[in-house]
Amino acid sequence: MRGLIFDIQRFAVHDGPGIRTLVFFKGCPLSCQWCSNPESQSINNEIMLMEQECIGADKCGLCITACGNSAIQRKEGKGVFIDRELCSRCGNCAKVCPNDTLRNTNRVMTAEEITDYVMKDIDFYNRSNGGVTLSGGEPLYQFDFCLELLKALKEKKLHTAIETTAYCGWENIEKLLPFVDLFLIDIKHMSSPEHKKYIGVENSLILDNLKKLSKEKKEIEIRIPLILGINDQQDNLSCTGKFVKNELGLKSVTLLLYHRLGQTKYEQLGKEYLLKSIEPVKPDRNKKYLEERKQIFRNLGLDVK
Amino acid sequence: MGNKKFHLVPNWEEPFDPLEHDFTPSERIQKNVEYVLSHNSEIDPERAVIITESYKETENEPIHMRRAKALYKMLKEKTIYIKPDELIVGNLAFKPLSSMIYPEYSYDWIMDEMENQPFDQRELEPYIITEETKEKLRSIKDYWLGHTVYDRSYSMIPEKAKSALAANVFDVGNYITGGIGHFTCGYDKAINRGLASIKEEILDRKSCLNHLDPDYGDKVTFYDAAVISIDAMEVFSKRYAQMARDLAEKENDLQRKWELSKIAENCDHVPMYPARSFWEAIQSFWFIQVAIQIESNGHSISPGRWDQYMYPYFKNDIESNVISMREAQELIDSVWVKLGETEKIKSTPVTECFSGACKSQNLQAGGLTRDGLDATNELSYMVLNASGRTKMCEPAISVRLSVKNPDSLWEKAIEVNKLGLGMPAFYNDEVTIQMLLNRGVDLEDARDFSIVGCVEPDVPGKTYAWHDSGFFNLLKCLELAINDGYPMDPKYKEYGRVGVPTGRLPDMKSIEDVMDAYKKQVSYFAELIIMTNNIEDKVHQEMSPVLIPSLLIDPCVERGIGVSHGGAKYNFTGPQGIAISNVADCLAAIDTMVFKEKKVTASELYKALLANWEGYEVLQQQMAQAPHFGNDDDYVDAFGHFAALTYCKEIENKPNARGGIFQPGLYPVSANIPFGKTTWASADGRQAGVALADGISPVHGRDISGPTAALKSVAKVDHVIASNGTLLNQKYHPSALSGLEGNRNFMNAAKVYFEKGGFHNQINVVSADMLRDAQKNPEKYKSLVVRVAGYSAYFVRLGPALQNDIIERTEFVI
């Protein structure tokens, strides 16, 4: 079976234990406004344009010729731009581009190809108790492929982790259970209307799935992205903490600090970044802010990472 | 100390755990560092004037005597100083960070730079020079111009080697313009026995010489000269004793008065007699280190296994309560500042090859004992602490890591790296020992190795190895290989065919043809660099043999032959091949694009190269998309292995001028930059003039599959055969190394690299300044990833605003 991924990253050290390889899946049912991987959201191919790499249409211009829809046009100065209205996302321009100026976000790979590739770092996983983490996007968006890949990884006796929104039918998660060692799941907001506002869907399915998952004796890491003014209010965090402790019976949460590192990718995709006005949380300047938030969880008897 | 009333630090009694990462220096050390750094590099003419006077007085004497008498005069007459509050004394130039001049090695560049391209306006390593100094240097010009080691060597080098030098296929600037450095003498011999005992031995041996030995005269001269050099050391140390006593007398502060009188006591005793305390042992070490560097300007005079030979003194003082742990750390920190105070001027071209290398006084912690046991002790951690506490670029510090060393040593080494020093470097004991065994070194000696200069393995106290005897540009060999032996750069037209005829790229039918041509060029130039090094070697023997290293490198004294003439147990000469990864990338690009996929003809590519890609920009981009070394791709990595092995095979085991052999290394120091400037466009899409790859590290920005992939690729090169050392530099953003988890991940990655046969690894924890450089030169940093949970992007692909964001973050993460 073939699946769509947009990147594979080796020596990933923040998504599960040890040294890991991160496999990024295309497609996601949510649309978090702070998403740092916007190229993951659509299941369709998209063209990313990195202008600074372009050697100039006068010297090259291969993409202009290759485009059947006249979507690629010469820009004043040396580069090109994509008229996204005209673009059919066929990717021909990126195929002829002699460097990385134009890139297709879709990479078609089989589970076997991915497994072969991630096995290159087997010695590093073994030494560090690391393994493979499926991320995205939402890996479960390509459920059958995800399941096949997890089975293949488990056959190689690798430690597997999955970063999922848990926004799917429980029966799907259930099918994964034998092949996943660690679930990394965000709780983005405890209020369903707020969740819908910023993420596009309500939270009830996610929370229900979390409750069911917590009964399965699987390792779960709950992550809370801290977004200024959106979900970092005292009551929301305290509510989240109580849920984690009382409903899920877990002992810790991980705080992820909001950053804007994905912003450039929005520009490269011709998309608008909606959170421009929100300041990233900076551990040095926002010490007090962070401490206060960590304390909310500690007061409930939770460890904070 | 002895007198319990005084202590070296006010909080001497507080508990101190060397394993804890306490990098806050004492007030004294902080002031010492500030005092040194408040000085500008300045040129000191004293040595040049003294040696000239001495040489004029000894015109007809044997060279060993001339050298000994000059050393005596220098140590007797040169300016000495004791800095405020310092505990270890002994200085090179007249002020901290100043540089003496060594006219006997080369003088024309000094005059030339002084008169035509002022020292204080140099781009790299500028020096202040006063009018008075200029006058003094001019006054000895007639004596030296045309009569130096450089002039003699250059006059003997055949024309074909000269054109290879002119076209920058290889370079021997280091030892043709300066003294021979890069060794580790037996400091322990001086510290434990004292020089007086060595003098006695010399006199004994001299009296027992066989009258029928045809070298009788040479040996007597060597012994007589060696005795003078010991007497010179005695005069030198006694001058400091006297100065300390004078200062003590005038001193009102009782603490300092006590310190000065202790210093006087120390200097009266060492290095002539066996050290009686840790403080004396360090003082003895330092006198030797200084004297070696006054005698000759050879750089990378490496202290070696300091944590081993100092340990008995440390242990004894701690156990008998002579000093506390904190006082011991204070003494170590003190000598670190002294190591940081040294400076040696090099010519501008040599500076370009060695920039940022400081003096490369390489010093190790950890490793194995001679018996193959874990050698780690408290000092191993304390020397690493000292680098963290002084934060100077000297000594160049390394950790030896065998499978027997504890993880806590890794941990300490990584924590010091996180301070942003780019040190310590990590060395794999198992591979290093194999390297040395393969060159005929005894097992116990091999286990006792130390690292010299940048990355060169050496047996301390037994080796004179001419490490860094030259740089050899392998990408230039490929350029000549596809252009029938002619440089492609029109500016070298006057030299005609520099290499051997191998045909041009359009005539080549397969990648094997290209590889074969490369091999022929490498083989030809390898012979030339070997010949050139041997010529230089003979000239150094004739004109500038050295004495102090001969006292402390065995078995020179026993044999009556100095190190310069092959008196050491192990004699090597080590020139370095550079640009392995560029050659690999070029071969892969030519093979893929021309021969396999036939996307471009050999003629078209050849034309594009000659045009330096002008008018062929699309092709240039396409060539650059071919597979690159450093991504764990066996196809291209095999070319890297080939590029390296070809060079190593041509160099290894050829006889040198001291009865030893040549051994290849694969590292550039900073020569990849000047060599890049003189290398024409290459098939990997590189433009003429762009810097070459650093060591066996992948080409800048081409290792886009992350550090584990780069480590695996680099480990595929045969490190054992490159026994003069290999160098892998990796950049990590602090986000990849944060916390204890980060330490462990780095350690585990490095351990896998070592298991797979890697020799050396150095990490640059990316600083905010480096990121600013990345904004300006994105091509060099293409592979730099900022690692945040669940996020993937390369730094250089972020827009300027976000990059600034990250720069800001970076400033506090470390």
Side-chain angles (χ1 to χ4, degrees):
Chain A
M1 198 189 306
R2 286 153 175 263
L4 294 175
I5 61 160
F6 68 89
D7 199 7
I8 298 183
Q9 193 185 81
R10 291 162 80 169
F11 197 73
V13 289
H14 297 296
D15 301 278
I19 297 172
R20 312 185 72 80
T21 297
L22 223 50
V23 181
F24 290 93
F25 280 62
K26 278 278 280 178
C28 185
L30 311 187
S31 43
C32 309
Q33 293 185 5
W34 53 83
C35 179
S36 63
N37 293 328
E39 72 274 42
S40 74
Q41 292 175 342
S42 166
I43 191 73
N44 296 314
N45 185 43
E46 286 164 295
I47 321 293
M48 287 178 96
L49 171 65
M50 269 166 289
E51 274 183 76
Q52 72 269 30
E53 302 275 308
C54 184
I55 58 169
D58 51 332
K59 288 181 178 152
C60 177
L62 292 173
C63 50
I64 299 175
T65 323
C67 181
N69 303 317
S70 311
I72 307 236
Q73 290 162 25
R74 208 177 259 264
K75 206 173 150 180
E76 262 180 71
K78 65 169 197 176
V80 295
F81 73 96
I82 306 175
D83 185 332
R84 304 273 174 182
E85 299 275 303
L86 297 176
C87 176
S88 71
R89 301 172 167 192
C90 70
N92 286 342
C93 55
K95 280 183 203 144
V96 298
C97 177
N99 61 22
D100 280 342
T101 308
L102 289 161
R103 272 195 317 151
N104 287 320
T105 51
N106 267 6
R107 258 161 88 181
V108 184
M109 286 182 91
T110 64
E112 197 187 351
E113 282 168 342
I114 295 173
T115 311
D116 285 350
Y117 187 77
V118 302
M119 282 303 286
K120 280 172 170 265
D121 275 356
I122 181 71
D123 300 313
F124 295 94
Y125 313 146
N126 284 346
R127 262 222 173 264
S128 66
N129 295 321
V132 178
T133 300
L134 308 190
S135 179
E138 166 54 65
L140 299 180
Y141 204 72
Q142 304 176 54
F143 179 76
D144 294 337
F145 176 65
C146 177
L147 184 61
E148 185 181 313
L149 178 59
L150 282 168
K151 282 182 183 168
L153 296 172
K154 262 299 153 210
E155 246 169 59
K156 301 284 183 191
K157 310 263 185 290
L158 295 174
H159 179 276
T160 56
I162 185 165
E163 234 181 327
T164 173
T165 61
Y167 187 77
C168 63
W170 169 248
E171 63 283 2
N172 279 358
I173 296 181
E174 210 169 16
K175 280 182 205 151
L176 297 183
L177 290 175
F179 311 107
V180 176
D181 298 303
L182 166 66
F183 284 86
L184 302 161
I185 301 177
D186 281 7
I187 297 181
K188 302 174 207 285
H189 213 295
M190 289 303 285
S191 141
S192 214
E194 291 291 303
H195 202 274
K196 179 137 177 89
K197 181 174 167 195
Y198 291 107
I199 291 135
V201 300
E202 291 187 351
N203 65 8
S204 49
L205 183 57
I206 297 171
L207 299 182
D208 280 350
N209 279 336
L210 271 172
K211 282 191 233 168
K212 288 177 187 155
L213 186 61
S214 68
K215 309 272 182 299
E216 295 291 339
K217 295 193 177 116
K218 281 282 162 187
E219 208 184 325
I220 306 169
E221 181 180 321
I222 295 296
R223 303 165 138 200
I224 302 162
L226 270 193
I227 323 285
L228 222 62
I230 291 184
N231 69 353
D232 65 339
Q233 302 83 352
Q234 183 105 12
D235 53 339
N236 180 50
L237 294 180
S238 148
C239 202
T240 311
K242 282 177 193 153
F243 178 77
V244 170
K245 177 146 193 241
N246 303 333
E247 303 282 336
L248 305 182
L250 297 175
K251 293 197 172 73
S252 68
V253 293
T254 302
L255 296 184
L256 299 178
L257 305 189
Y258 166 64
H259 61 76
R260 291 190 289 209
L261 303 181
Q263 192 178 340
T264 316
K265 296 200 275 188
Y266 283 84
E267 289 155 20
Q268 291 167 349
L269 287 162
K271 290 185 176 173
E272 200 189 342
Y273 188 63
L274 296 173
L275 295 191
K276 270 181 196 149
S277 57
I278 294 188
E279 278 295 308
V281 179
K282 293 174 183 172
D284 61 337
R285 290 204 201 143
N286 308 76
K287 248 185 198 156
K288 182 161 166 271
Y289 168 91
L290 258 181
E291 261 323 296
E292 282 171 7
R293 265 124 201 105
K294 286 184 178 173
Q295 204 49 49
I296 297 173
F297 296 101
R298 289 197 191 114
N299 289 346
L300 293 165
L302 288 164
D303 280 341
V304 188
K305 285 177 205 154
Chain B
M1 328 209 25
N3 183 346
K4 276 291 161 195
K5 210 173 138 202
F6 295 101
H7 290 279
L8 298 177
V9 278
N11 58 344
W12 62 279
E13 239 174 341
E14 285 173 24
F16 180 79
D17 179 0
L19 271 76
E20 266 176 32
H21 308 307
D22 175 4
F23 300 127
T24 318
S26 72
E27 204 183 315
R28 175 208 313 275
I29 297 300
Q30 208 161 336
K31 278 190 189 156
N32 276 189
V33 172
E34 281 164 17
Y35 183 84
V36 169
L37 297 182
S38 70
H39 288 77
N40 288 312
S41 295
E42 184 176 337
I43 291 178
D44 166 13
E46 237 174 42
R47 182 191 180 282
V49 171
I50 299 173
I51 194 174
T52 311
E53 286 168 7
S54 176
Y55 263 45
K56 282 180 181 168
E57 289 160 11
T58 59
E59 289 286 356
N60 288 318
E61 295 186 36
I63 188 63
H64 267 123
M65 292 305 284
R66 297 188 73 189
R67 298 292 295 170
K69 288 180 180 175
L71 178 67
Y72 190 93
K73 194 171 164 72
M74 289 189 282
L75 294 186
K76 185 163 174 251
E77 295 177 13
K78 72 175 296 304
T79 299
I80 63 168
Y81 59 75
I82 293 178
K83 299 203 306 288
D85 281 334
E86 70 178 354
L87 296 174
I88 306 296
V89 300
N91 58 292
L92 287 176
F94 59 5
K95 294 172 199 167
L97 296 183
S98 287
S99 172
M100 296 181 288
I101 296 290
Y102 301 71
E104 66 270 37
Y105 296 106
S106 57
Y107 208 59
D108 54 343
W109 66 267
I110 294 167
M111 285 296 108
D112 180 47
E113 289 200 35
M114 188 173 98
E115 309 291 5
N116 306 321
Q117 31 183 337
F119 287 119
D120 54 0
Q121 287 162 36
R122 283 172 155 205
E123 196 182 322
L124 298 167
E125 303 181 16
Y127 285 84
I128 291 174
I129 182 166
T130 64
E131 282 308 315
E132 191 191 342
T133 297
K134 282 186 188 171
E135 261 325 298
K136 284 184 180 161
L137 292 179
R138 279 186 200 115
S139 73
I140 57 170
K141 161 175 99 170
D142 291 340
Y143 188 79
W144 294 109
L145 285 182
H147 304 285
T148 64
V149 167
Y150 171 78
D151 299 301
R152 177 76 58 84
S153 304
Y154 202 71
S155 74
M156 292 167 72
I157 296 172
E159 279 311 315
K160 47 188 168 188
K162 277 184 188 160
S163 42
L165 287 168
N168 223 1
V169 186
F170 61 80
D171 179 83
V172 293
N174 192 14
Y175 293 151
I176 204 168
T177 59
I180 310 306
H182 289 93
F183 54 80
T184 297
C185 66
Y187 295 93
D188 49 343
K189 188 174 169 186
I191 298 166
N192 301 346
R193 281 179 58 183
L195 297 180
S197 131
I198 299 175
K199 180 173 167 180
E200 244 169 73
E201 181 189 338
I202 292 172
L203 293 173
D204 266 1
R205 291 194 182 276
K206 186 182 155 192
S207 66
C208 299
L209 274 178
N210 179 354
H211 293 170
L212 295 179
D213 183 342
D215 295 326
Y216 182 87
D218 289 346
K219 287 181 181 173
V220 167
T221 311
F222 169 71
Y223 282 142
D224 288 345
V227 166
I228 295 174
S229 73
I230 292 176
D231 293 344
M233 289 295 294
E234 184 164 22
V235 169
F236 191 52
S237 51
K238 293 271 151 66
R239 287 177 69 201
Y240 284 96
Q242 189 56 49
M243 180 179 263
R245 255 193 302 277
D246 293 346
L247 287 171
E249 217 160 283
K250 282 181 246 157
E251 181 63 59
N252 294 323
D253 180 80
L254 288 181
Q255 167 74 22
R256 185 59 184 158
K257 201 181 187 67
W258 170 77
E259 287 169 6
L260 285 163
S261 56
K262 285 298 290 181
I263 291 169
E265 236 175 75
N266 292 346
C267 296
D268 263 332
H269 195 76
V270 295
M272 292 310 288
Y273 304 99
R276 298 164 299 189
S277 66
F278 190 49
W279 194 350
E280 277 190 359
I282 295 179
Q283 181 62 60
S284 186
F285 155 78
W286 182 245
F287 273 136
I288 300 297
Q289 185 69 1
V290 168
I292 290 172
Q293 302 191 71
I294 293 172
E295 184 180 13
S296 153
N297 65 351
H299 63 88
S300 303
I301 306 305
S302 300
R305 307 191 72 184
W306 211 86
D307 65 336
Q308 302 303 305
Y309 58 81
M310 285 297 175
Y311 190 64
Y313 298 94
F314 163 81
K315 189 165 176 269
N316 190 56
D317 279 10
I318 293 291
E319 280 174 1
S320 48
N321 288 321
V322 175
I323 50 172
S324 71
M325 288 294 277
R326 283 186 184 275
E327 288 177 296
Q329 186 70 58
E330 184 80 351
L331 287 168
I332 302 169
D333 296 354
S334 292
V335 76
W336 254 234
V337 183
K338 295 304 286 182
L339 285 154
E341 193 181 305
T342 58
E343 190 59 69
K344 259 175 261 174
I345 192 168
K346 305 175 282 270
S347 71
T348 291
V350 177
T351 304
E352 282 183 356
C353 289
F354 288 93
S355 74
C358 288
K359 311 305 139 253
S360 290
Q361 300 167 102
N362 206 321
L363 190 152
Q364 280 91 67
L368 295 175
T369 64
R370 294 178 67 83
D371 305 332
L373 298 172
D374 172 18
T376 315
N377 59 41
E378 296 96 306
L379 276 186
S380 314
Y381 299 94
M382 291 167 85
V383 300
L384 294 168
N385 282 342
S387 290
R389 292 157 83 95
T390 51
K391 294 189 184 63
M392 299 176 93
C393 68
E394 289 288 318
I397 191 148
S398 309
V399 263
R400 280 183 49 175
L401 291 154
S402 100
V403 291
K404 292 187 182 171
N405 293 115
D407 284 357
S408 52
L409 188 60
W410 282 91
E411 161 104 30
K412 172 66 76 180
I414 296 165
E415 282 294 327
V416 174
N417 262 297
K418 284 189 187 176
L419 301 171
L421 302 170
M423 300 191 291
F426 301 81
Y427 290 89
N428 180 359
D429 263 36
E430 280 69 31
V431 162
T432 314
I433 290 167
Q434 271 191 65
M435 283 170 157
L436 290 164
L437 290 176
N438 184 46
R439 298 284 171 235
V441 170
D442 299 339
L443 178 62
E444 290 194 345
D445 283 348
R447 285 181 182 143
D448 196 28
F449 80 86
S450 66
I451 297 295
V452 165
C454 291
V455 294
E456 302 92 284
D458 196 275
V459 181
K462 292 180 182 172
T463 315
Y464 201 57
W466 274 59
H467 302 294
D468 261 337
S469 68
F471 294 116
F472 191 100
N473 182 352
L474 294 163
L475 188 62
K476 189 79 171 188
C477 290
L478 186 61
E479 176 190 323
L480 298 168
I482 58 171
N483 198 34
D484 208 18
Y486 294 91
M488 283 185 164
D489 189 339
K491 81 170 178 245
Y492 294 119
K493 216 172 172 188
E494 57 176 304
Y495 300 104
R497 178 181 273 143
V498 171
V500 284
T502 44
R504 296 170 320 130
L505 183 60
D507 310 324
M508 298 178 181
K509 299 285 175 266
S510 66
I511 194 65
E512 285 74 25
D513 286 355
V514 182
M515 290 160 79
D516 197 45
Y518 165 79
K519 225 171 171 167
K520 282 183 184 144
Q521 301 292 351
V522 171
S523 168
Y524 172 72
F525 290 110
E527 277 188 19
L528 292 186
I529 197 173
I530 288 168
M531 177 181 73
T532 308
N533 274 168
N534 281 336
I535 288 170
E536 291 172 78
D537 201 330
K538 288 280 189 189
V539 171
H540 276 280
Q541 295 181 19
E542 194 185 324
M543 298 180 72
S544 58
V546 286
L547 290 158
I548 293 173
S550 299
L551 301 173
L552 302 175
I553 292 179
D554 286 337
C556 291
V557 167
E558 188 188 326
R559 294 165 66 180
I561 302 171
V563 280
S564 308
H565 292 81
K569 181 172 180 186
Y570 303 112
N571 288 287
F572 299 110
T573 307
Q576 280 42 273
I578 66 174
I580 300 298
S581 351
N582 296 92
V583 173
D585 285 2
C586 287
L587 291 174
I590 296 173
D591 186 40
T592 307
M593 293 288 288
V594 179
F595 299 117
K596 281 198 166 141
E597 297 178 3
K598 302 197 191 320
K599 284 192 178 148
V600 57
T601 64
S603 302
E604 188 77 358
L605 174 58
Y606 179 70
K607 276 189 224 154
L609 288 172
L610 286 180
N612 190 17
W613 304 111
E614 217 163 291
Y616 297 87
E617 287 81 4
V618 174
L619 179 60
Q620 179 186 9
Q621 298 298 323
Q622 288 167 336
M623 293 302 288
Q625 297 298 303
H628 291 282
F629 179 79
N631 295 286
D632 192 16
D633 172 347
D634 284 341
Y635 163 70
V636 54
D637 293 349
F639 287 121
H641 183 265
F642 161 81
L645 197 64
T646 303
Y647 172 72
C648 292
K649 285 281 179 199
E650 295 295 340
I651 295 291
E652 69 164 353
N653 299 334
K654 303 288 186 301
N656 72 12
R658 278 163 287 118
I661 52 173
F662 276 76
Q663 59 172 349
L666 299 170
Y667 63 90
V669 194
S670 63
N672 54 318
I673 296 163
F675 270 77
K677 282 186 192 159
T678 56
T679 308
W680 195 245
S682 46
D684 54 350
R686 180 188 146 279
Q687 246 166 325
V690 172
L692 308 178
D694 177 11
I696 49 173
S697 318
V699 177
H700 278 314
R702 297 299 192 193
D703 51 332
I704 53 168
S705 310
T708 54
L711 290 170
K712 281 184 70 190
S713 284
V714 173
K716 289 173 201 168
V717 171
D718 185 350
H719 291 246
V720 175
I721 193 175
S723 53
N724 206 44
T726 66
L727 181 146
L728 169 64
N729 232 323
Q730 283 194 304
K731 291 190 192 84
Y732 285 91
H733 188 266
S735 60
L737 300 173
S738 52
L740 282 182
E741 194 82 9
N743 292 354
R744 238 165 269 150
N745 287 332
F746 172 79
M747 175 185 78
N748 284 320
K751 281 186 174 178
V752 172
Y753 175 64
F754 282 2
E755 275 168 9
K756 293 189 179 301
F759 162 73
H760 156 277
N761 191 5
Q762 187 166 347
I763 38 175
N764 276 303
V765 179
V766 175
S767 65
D769 280 343
M770 279 167 81
L771 292 178
R772 284 184 198 106
D773 184 50
Q775 286 184 306
K776 281 182 222 138
N777 306 297
E779 67 288 348
K780 276 164 63 187
Y781 295 87
K782 267 191 173 167
S783 52
L784 184 66
V785 175
V786 181
R787 281 168 207 279
V788 187
Y791 167 76
S792 86
Y794 293 101
F795 178 79
V796 299
R797 288 185 182 170
L798 303 169
L802 287 178
Q803 288 177 340
N804 289 337
D805 239 37
I806 292 176
I807 289 172
E808 222 177 282
R809 282 164 161 257
T810 304
E811 276 173 315
F812 67 81
V813 174
I814 294 183

